[in-house]
Amino acid sequence: MATEPGTLRLLRSPSRPTPGARQKVVPSEVLAVVIFILSEMMFFAGLMSAFTIARAAQPVWPPPGQPRLPLEETAINTVALLISAGLAWWSGQRFRTAGPGSARAPLGAAIALGAFFVLFQGMEWMAMLREGLTLTSSTAGSFFYLIVGVHGIHVILGFSVLAWMFRRLMREQADAQSLDDQFWAARVFWYFVVLLWPFLYWRVYA
Amino acid sequence: MNPRWTAAAAALWLSTPGAAWACAVCQDPNDPRSGAYFDMTMFMSLPPLLAIGAIAVWLWRRAMAAEAAVASRRSVSGQDR
């Protein structure tokens, strides 16, 4: 049975705007990324849970014969990644206040720092492999390469998306609202990848 | 005290440690992993609830702000008339 339009209007609260006047509260791209991040959070929580229980079973950590992880060197890398998130945030601010052209420089620097992080991790892995820490050498090696490697894949994905956004900012003729929404979604993912790292660093390296 | 009640209380007291050891996850309370199991149970249970709650609050706040902006625009356009 069809409902009279007037009936619906009566049921609706008078303080609420009519459907035609409703605004988009959050862009779909951003909401999708937030939901994706929720699932990613639980994925990393599962990895960290398994790692913590395996580590608690060991009387000494790292296990005998295994090298100590480079805590101090990785601290520099951690700072680089955090600065990268700050630059991505600043780029977003510049995009909204001064347009796409002025957002390019901080975004380029953020991408460069993300690439530096991955390269530094690669060098660290080479050094660890030379010292005998492999995926099969011990529980420590298995968890180190699994957790840090999976995070590294996320970093590569994150700065690839930012690089794609950088390319779009170069064009500038793109629809401003659509570009803003996509850029916001890309930054939200980058913030997640960056803010996750200090926690992994504290748990895995310390 | 009635000797029967005393015997029952003693039997209960003696059986309690057995019940305390019967943890389906930890198995052995002296296991060094038992603390880690407890911590990780909390760690896996609370963050999703906090994250979903935070997102719900964030969406609600944004919806309220958008509604207030619409109401403000309406009142301004009403004054102009």
Side-chain angles (χ1 to χ4, degrees):
Chain A
M1 196 176 88
T3 315
E4 290 289 323
T7 318
L8 277 174
R9 209 167 286 136
L10 282 173
L11 289 170
R12 199 174 291 128
S13 163
S15 65
R16 303 259 170 194
T18 53
R22 282 184 184 169
Q23 295 180 338
K24 190 163 43 171
V25 172
V26 175
S28 306
E29 297 90 333
V30 176
L31 192 60
V33 168
V34 167
I35 292 167
F36 178 63
I37 286 171
L38 272 182
S39 66
E40 292 287 274
M41 266 177 61
M42 291 320 295
F43 172 67
F44 279 100
L47 287 177
M48 292 313 295
S49 176
F51 170 71
T52 304
I53 289 164
R55 186 173 171 164
Q58 300 281 340
V60 285
W61 194 267
Q66 292 294 283
R68 186 179 153 273
L69 294 175
L71 186 70
E72 296 79 15
E73 291 90 331
T74 311
I76 298 166
N77 218 12
T78 305
V79 171
L81 202 59
L82 289 170
I83 292 171
S84 166
L87 286 167
W89 175 82
W90 187 37
S91 172
Q93 296 297 111
R94 301 252 331 235
F95 178 86
R96 285 183 180 163
T97 54
S102 62
R104 283 201 300 261
L107 183 62
I111 295 164
L113 283 173
F116 168 79
F117 178 86
V118 173
L119 283 173
F120 196 96
Q121 288 281 14
M123 286 162 59
E124 184 186 288
W125 279 33
M126 297 291 280
M128 288 290 103
L129 286 167
R130 275 197 299 272
E131 288 185 38
L133 186 77
T134 68
L135 200 59
T136 52
S137 65
S138 66
T139 319
S142 304
F143 275 111
F144 171 73
Y145 290 112
L146 179 66
I147 295 170
V148 176
V150 166
H151 179 263
I153 290 169
H154 282 75
V155 174
I156 292 168
L157 178 69
F159 80 69
S160 300
V161 173
L162 287 181
W164 176 66
M165 287 312 307
F166 184 82
R167 197 163 155 262
R168 289 203 64 193
L169 291 178
M170 293 284 280
R171 293 179 184 165
E172 283 196 46
Q173 74 269 20
D175 169 40
Q177 187 56 51
S178 155
L179 191 61
D180 186 19
D181 294 348
Q182 289 170 8
F183 191 28
W184 185 8
R187 290 196 316 272
V188 166
F189 183 71
W190 189 245
Y191 299 149
F192 163 70
V193 168
V194 170
L195 295 176
L196 175 69
W197 175 252
F199 176 71
L200 299 182
Y201 171 63
W202 166 58
R203 295 299 301 161
V204 176
Y205 284 75
Chain B
M1 195 176 174
N2 189 327
R4 282 186 191 171
W5 284 110
T6 308
L12 188 66
W13 181 73
L14 287 170
S15 66
T16 307
W21 278 58
C23 171
V25 179
C26 327
Q27 295 161 9
D28 177 0
N30 297 321
D31 187 333
R33 291 173 300 174
S34 59
Y37 273 122
F38 178 78
D39 294 345
M40 289 305 109
T41 302
M42 300 303 287
F43 177 66
M44 294 288 284
S45 305
L46 295 179
L49 299 174
L50 291 173
I52 290 167
I55 290 166
V57 168
W58 177 61
L59 289 174
W60 181 77
R61 284 173 67 99
R62 285 189 67 87
M64 289 298 108
E67 222 167 84
V70 169
S72 166
R73 274 201 298 273
R74 276 186 183 167
S75 68
V76 167
S77 62
Q79 282 169 359
D80 289 344
R81 270 177 218 155

